[in-house]
Amino acid sequence: MDVIRDVLDNQLVDRNNCKMGRVDGIVMELPEGQPPRLAYIEVGMPTLARRLHPRLERWVAALASKWGTKHSESFRIPFSKVRDVGIDVNVDLDAEATPVLANEKWLREHIIERIPGGK
């Protein structure tokens, strides 16, 4: 499997076919004397910002916590939870039970619902 091509930036879909965002990062483990293995996939703006520049990651995390979002850190999904990699990356999780959608929920509650007709 070409991890960068097949996993990174692909759409994440939970067990209920709910979109969870895109794969923003990949974490690999390098056990001594063994081949590298995929440990986690990361989802979150700080990880995406880190891909551009490490300083940008700190800035995004600080801004998110200042605005009051509950989760200013990226969420790691164990690679063992990945069921299928194709056009989408299907994971054996429930998106509503994870902090992956916390920023979207915050935007809906604090911005979208205050717009006339936004409910």
Side-chain angles (χ1 to χ4, degrees):
M1 175 189 322
D2 186 350
V3 177
I4 303 299
R5 183 196 69 212
D6 295 340
V7 178
L8 195 62
D9 293 328
N10 281 3
Q11 180 70 52
L12 271 173
V13 180
D14 75 352
R15 68 171 71 120
N16 302 318
N17 287 329
C18 175
K19 293 181 179 181
M20 300 173 62
R22 296 200 174 265
V23 177
D24 296 317
I26 298 170
V27 178
M28 298 185 74
E29 289 181 346
L30 301 169
E32 193 171 323
Q34 296 178 9
R37 75 175 197 89
L38 294 173
Y40 301 97
I41 53 179
E42 286 187 325
V43 182
M45 280 303 294
T47 299
L48 184 59
R50 181 183 342 123
R51 287 172 56 188
L52 298 173
H53 196 278
R55 217 176 296 155
L56 188 57
E57 175 191 18
R58 292 188 297 270
W59 183 79
V60 166
L63 190 63
S65 60
K66 182 178 181 177
W67 279 355
T69 58
K70 294 178 184 174
H71 299 281
S72 59
E73 296 179 6
S74 295
F75 180 68
R76 285 187 170 182
I77 300 170
F79 205 76
S80 61
K81 296 286 186 183
V82 174
R83 292 187 305 179
D84 182 42
V85 175
I87 294 173
D88 297 330
V89 177
N90 296 302
V91 293
D92 192 21
L93 292 172
D94 183 10
E96 293 296 326
T98 66
V100 171
L101 301 176
N103 290 334
E104 292 177 20
K105 290 177 187 176
W106 184 90
L107 279 172
R108 184 177 358 163
E109 292 170 4
H110 293 89
I111 309 271
I112 303 298
E113 288 183 354
R114 295 177 184 198
I115 298 172
K119 284 189 177 183

